[in-house]
Amino acid sequence: MAKTVAVVIREDPRRTHRPVEALRIALGLVAGNHATTVVLLNEAARLLSEDTDDVVDVEILEKYLPSIQQLEVPFVLPEFIDRSGVRTDFAVRYESDDTIRRLLQSMDRTLVF
């Protein structure tokens, strides 16, 4: 049975490979017919930046981004984040902290990276 899943990424992709790995996992969940939403907190928003040269495992990120884009994986970012660096060709919405909190509470499963 399909589940609703949130993949929360809060680590800095310039410092660890875990954010890119989290996106790979999210893509697998979407392909498995789970209703998956990716929440990007703090510096994790750099995963959707035009400038990803300093991201750890950038070659893996570049490999998976087209599939994530094509499948229209939904991303949620905090409304206060600087939006100027976030690419507009992804399914991104900006929400308040309270709305993000309610979203996470409504999910069947939450994975945090």
Side-chain angles (χ1 to χ4, degrees):
M1 179 196 305
K3 303 279 186 193
T4 57
V5 181
V7 176
V8 180
I9 306 173
R10 59 185 181 179
E11 294 188 60
D12 188 339
R14 298 170 300 174
R15 300 184 185 275
T16 178
H17 71 282
R18 289 173 48 91
V20 172
E21 180 66 13
L23 277 184
R24 187 191 65 76
I25 291 168
L27 182 59
L29 290 167
V30 169
N33 294 322
H34 294 286
T36 305
T37 301
V38 178
V39 179
L40 300 178
L41 302 175
N42 306 321
E43 296 297 322
R46 292 179 180 277
L47 293 169
L48 298 182
S49 171
E50 293 288 344
D51 181 20
T52 56
D53 292 341
D54 56 354
V55 169
V56 176
D57 287 342
V58 68
E59 62 282 344
I60 296 170
L61 176 65
E62 290 172 347
K63 177 180 173 182
Y64 290 114
L65 283 179
S67 297
I68 290 170
Q69 183 182 27
Q70 181 181 18
L71 292 170
E72 297 179 351
V73 175
F75 287 90
V76 176
L77 281 72
E79 64 185 357
F80 61 82
I81 199 162
D82 178 12
R83 300 175 189 195
S84 63
V86 178
R87 291 173 50 177
T88 58
D89 52 344
F90 287 92
V92 176
R93 71 180 200 262
Y94 299 90
E95 301 289 353
S96 69
D97 289 344
D98 285 339
T99 301
I100 292 172
R101 191 173 304 113
R102 283 192 303 273
L103 170 74
L104 297 177
Q105 290 172 343
S106 73
M107 296 289 175
D108 293 322
R109 304 284 186 268
T110 303
L111 305 172
V112 180
F113 294 88

